Amino acid sequence: NPKTKEQIENLLRNGMNKELRDRLCCRMTFGTAGLRSAMGAGFCYINDLTVIQSTQGMYKYLERCFSDFKQRGFVVGYDTRGQVTSSCSSQRLAKLTAAVLLAKDVPVYLFSRYVPTPFVVYWENGAQITSPHDKEILKCIEECVEPWNGSWNDNLVDTSPLKRDPLQDICRRYMEDLKKICFHRELNSKTTLKFVHTSFHGVGHDYVQLAFQVFGFKPPIPVPEQKDPDPDFSTVKCPNPEEGESVLELSLRLAEKENARIVLATDPDADRLAVAELQENGDWKVFTGNELAALFGWWMFDCWKKNKSRNADVKNIYMLATTVSSKILKAIALKEGFHFEETLPGFKWIGSRIKDLLENGKEVLFAFEESIGFLCGTSVLDKDGVSAAVVVAEMASYLETMNITLKQQLINVYEKYGYHISKTSYFLCYDPTTIKSIFERLRNFDSPKEYPKFCGTFAILHIRDVTTGYDSSQPNKKSVLPVSKNSQMITFTFQNGCVATLRTSGTEPKIKYYAEMCASPDQSDTALLEEELKKLIEALIENFLEPSKNGLTWRSV
């Protein structure tokens, strides 16, 4: 690729040795979700070469794992992201991926246009890969770094008889599967509620429109400036709907103009969903991932209860969440009698656990992670913003018939199962040794091999350290969640009912903190709970993270 080659040559010419080292002396690794990096020149970035290398390694590994690999084939999808300065685009990378495999006589199912991430299934179980596959694939990539004959030949996607386009078939089957989680089609077709949808310059528009059709709705109103793909995301300062009101500006203004009470925002690859609702006083309420999960959990269980067959057993029902997410589903499960399970952070863990449960005859209604990743039903085994968007629309339409808003229903859920008030944020830290020393200090707090007993004035009841596999709440002191040595994560359960987790991001230079007050249904003084949580978070930051001493940058909101 002349452009990435030129980037490296320029750095060399200008003697930028540190930057060359950063770019060339490490490879991409698997974070909480796949091989992730920015686009650009160098072995630790996404570009033509590193995608070819990764695909070659994947080919080698799959050939080893499946004797019938060449009968099965390989699925390749892409979204709308790109970087002009590296002449790199998701579509071009998809063609190169396909070329590597077609040159090796592997049938390739290459989508003919951009698709939401959940359309592309992952390992043979349809979930994102977990260890040990990731480590083994990395080893295979290391063994196949020189491009093979034919790997650069992206014309193969136009000439090879082994290339097929799964778009129509997958889209049809996906939309057909959506019907399983639609419970009020009749009511949807009559609703007076209006919805605005923004696809954040990504892939979501067409698919959300189709999903609304399947559910019997009139089409949602698209945000014209954000409806079509734009790799520069030119109307938002950050293409992440999780950032809240500041990035939803255009959709909120359109909704006010159109008299629409609910805004649905899918992120650029359409696997996550943000929701905002107009309140009586004219303000917008942007729901957090944890608040939406409380609504989804209530809704999916309520729909199951009302539609179940006579002999269906509630003990066969499961909901899942990652361990840094709200414990609200646990509270609902305890009261209603179904099962709740936690996994490590990352939807790959949820996907593979759901697969196990389904194989054992269990039914999984809902799963989520707090970073606005939701899965309703089990037609795909990954977070899915398209199905989540249309389920929110149905839930809102149903509640509207009783004059209840989403915000009021959220309060109803909390009143019944106990308030769960949470706060998630992060600090930036670009120095891996500082990050390591922060966590090592917690493992040797007052004396060697001793975790803290207090955080400021707050007494600690239990500590779980998934990095080392320690859990003080277990009889054998061993963590039930699998050990994940290459990332830092410690969870503190406090005497006052608060749970807080400190962890490093699998994909970015961040130390994240997650804290939640889990109250019982009889504690309904929210101001008091919020005050307590606020104080605890201040103590956590001050005592355990020490931002000024460690030179951490606060997240700018």
Side-chain angles (χ1 to χ4, degrees):
N1 177 323
K3 288 207 170 165
T4 45
K5 188 177 178 189
E6 189 188 354
Q7 285 174 35
I8 296 296
E9 284 169 346
N10 279 342
L11 291 169
L12 190 60
R13 230 190 339 269
N14 297 326
M16 310 285 279
N17 291 352
K18 185 192 179 307
E19 189 169 338
L20 280 168
R21 241 196 316 278
D22 290 347
R23 283 173 180 262
L24 297 171
C25 294
C26 63
R27 289 198 171 279
M28 293 186 284
T29 55
F30 284 90
T32 39
L35 290 172
R36 284 172 60 170
S37 186
M39 293 180 186
F43 298 121
C44 65
Y45 286 108
I46 286 176
N47 53 56
D48 294 2
L49 178 64
T50 53
V51 164
I52 286 173
Q53 292 173 329
S54 303
T55 309
Q56 292 181 168
M58 191 80 182
Y59 168 82
K60 193 164 185 175
Y61 185 61
L62 290 169
E63 200 183 31
R64 193 191 299 160
C65 292
F66 302 107
S67 53
D68 58 351
F69 177 38
K70 288 192 174 172
Q71 282 75 57
R72 288 185 181 217
F74 191 90
V75 182
V76 183
Y78 54 92
D79 62 24
T80 54
R81 285 176 279 196
Q83 186 184 62
V84 180
T85 51
S86 306
S87 67
C88 186
S89 72
S90 190
Q91 185 173 15
R92 170 162 172 77
L93 299 176
K95 283 184 170 177
L96 288 169
T97 302
V100 171
L101 297 155
L102 291 168
K104 288 283 183 192
D105 298 323
V106 176
V108 172
Y109 296 85
L110 173 65
F111 284 97
S112 55
R113 70 186 299 233
Y114 52 80
V115 287
T117 296
F119 273 38
V120 187
V121 286
Y122 304 89
W123 196 242
E124 63 169 344
N125 62 0
Q128 294 181 36
I129 56 166
T130 53
S131 47
H133 299 305
D134 49 7
K135 313 261 185 316
E136 295 301 319
I137 290 168
L138 286 176
K139 271 189 217 154
C140 289
I141 293 171
E142 291 282 351
E143 292 161 17
C144 305
V145 288
E146 193 170 323
W148 300 329
N149 285 343
S151 285
W152 281 103
N153 183 7
D154 59 354
N155 295 336
L156 280 174
V157 299
D158 303 314
T159 57
S160 171
L162 287 173
K163 190 212 79 175
R164 300 177 193 133
D165 174 15
L167 183 68
Q168 290 336 102
D169 183 38
I170 294 294
C171 199
R172 184 179 46 78
R173 293 204 290 188
Y174 175 88
M175 294 302 163
E176 194 55 41
D177 277 342
L178 272 186
K179 293 175 182 171
K180 296 178 193 162
I181 51 174
C182 176
F183 300 100
H184 299 278
R185 199 164 194 280
E186 184 66 14
L187 191 148
N188 298 343
S189 63
K190 297 198 183 87
T191 188
T192 53
L193 272 187
K194 288 163 91 178
F195 302 93
V196 160
H197 169 240
T198 171
S199 40
F200 260 74
H201 297 298
V203 305
H205 173 77
D206 296 343
Y207 302 100
V208 170
Q209 293 277 324
L210 282 170
F212 266 66
Q213 210 176 312
V214 169
F215 267 56
F217 284 109
K218 293 186 188 74
I221 303 160
V223 176
E225 304 92 327
Q226 298 176 336
K227 159 173 102 61
D228 298 318
D230 169 9
D232 297 324
F233 306 110
S234 43
T235 67
V236 285
K237 65 171 190 286
C238 163
N240 179 1
E242 210 185 335
E243 296 291 334
E245 205 162 328
S246 60
V247 292
L248 295 171
E249 184 66 31
L250 280 174
S251 43
L252 302 181
R253 297 301 78 84
L254 178 67
E256 287 162 2
K257 197 175 107 207
E258 294 282 354
N259 229 348
R261 207 182 73 215
I262 289 174
V263 167
L264 302 163
T266 45
D267 73 336
D269 64 340
D271 62 356
R272 300 185 309 140
L273 174 77
V275 179
E277 180 184 58
L278 188 59
Q279 304 303 299
E280 288 279 271
N281 64 1
D283 289 348
W284 284 91
K285 158 79 178 158
V286 181
F287 294 90
T288 66
N290 286 334
E291 290 172 333
L292 286 173
L295 288 167
F296 277 123
W298 156 74
W299 175 253
M300 295 304 287
F301 185 70
D302 199 58
C303 292
W304 175 80
K305 219 164 44 181
K306 288 174 179 161
N307 294 280
K308 68 178 177 22
S309 56
R310 252 209 313 267
N311 56 359
D313 184 1
V314 71
K315 293 199 166 26
N316 213 32
I317 296 297
Y318 281 73
M319 290 194 193
L320 286 81
T322 60
T323 184
V324 293
S325 303
S326 171
K327 310 284 179 251
I328 185 65
L329 297 183
K330 185 182 182 179
I332 300 175
L334 279 170
K335 200 159 182 162
E336 300 293 351
F338 62 88
H339 291 275
F340 167 73
E341 283 192 11
E342 281 191 340
T343 70
L344 286 173
F347 238 88
K348 57 186 179 185
W349 299 105
I350 286 181
S352 46
R353 180 60 187 143
I354 291 177
K355 185 76 178 164
D356 294 345
L357 290 167
L358 296 178
E359 280 170 358
N360 287 302
K362 309 297 182 197
E363 191 177 345
V364 181
L365 299 182
F366 174 65
F368 88 105
E369 60 184 4
E370 56 74 39
S371 51
I372 61 173
F374 309 106
L375 175 55
C376 301
T378 51
S379 295
V380 294
L381 296 184
D382 196 11
K383 54 184 188 251
D384 179 5
V386 176
S387 57
V390 74
V391 169
V392 166
E394 178 167 88
M395 184 198 308
S397 303
Y398 171 82
L399 289 168
E400 167 75 359
T401 62
M402 295 173 287
N403 272 328
I404 300 173
T405 64
L406 292 174
K407 167 101 182 284
Q408 288 163 335
Q409 183 54 28
L410 178 64
I411 292 168
N412 295 343
V413 172
Y414 286 153
E415 296 281 341
K416 183 171 181 184
Y417 301 106
Y419 274 89
H420 284 61
I421 299 168
S422 57
K423 170 125 170 60
T424 299
S425 193
Y426 57 81
F427 286 90
L428 291 166
C429 179
Y430 296 93
D431 178 28
T433 45
T434 301
I435 292 180
K436 198 168 190 299
S437 73
I438 289 172
F439 283 88
E440 281 309 319
R441 176 175 164 263
L442 293 173
R443 295 184 180 109
N444 306 278
F445 201 69
D446 293 319
S447 50
K449 302 245 187 301
E450 285 287 326
Y451 290 89
K453 297 186 176 48
F454 282 86
C455 176
T457 57
F458 296 95
I460 295 170
L461 188 63
H462 292 303
I463 289 179
R464 183 188 62 201
D465 185 343
V466 180
T467 311
T468 61
Y470 170 78
D471 185 345
S472 68
S473 71
Q474 295 297 321
N476 64 358
K477 302 282 184 254
K478 282 189 168 45
S479 166
V480 180
L481 291 177
V483 179
S484 77
K485 283 197 189 74
N486 52 0
S487 62
Q488 304 279 356
M489 185 164 97
I490 304 179
T491 301
F492 305 91
T493 304
F494 291 90
Q495 220 113 38
N496 64 0
C498 185
V499 181
T501 295
L502 298 175
R503 72 177 271 254
T504 48
S505 164
T507 48
E508 300 155 306
K510 291 176 178 175
I511 299 177
K512 297 184 170 183
Y513 66 83
Y514 308 77
E516 180 171 52
M517 245 359 246
C518 307
S520 53
D522 55 359
Q523 294 173 274
S524 57
D525 184 342
T526 51
L528 200 71
L529 295 170
E530 281 174 359
E531 185 54 29
E532 182 87 342
L533 181 67
K534 185 168 163 280
K535 285 185 181 150
L536 192 135
I537 289 172
E538 283 166 6
L540 193 74
I541 291 170
E542 207 36 58
N543 294 285
F544 289 177
L545 293 178
E546 305 179 301
S548 43
K549 187 185 125 187
N550 290 310
L552 308 180
T553 314
W554 291 72
R555 170 199 171 189
S556 58
V557 181

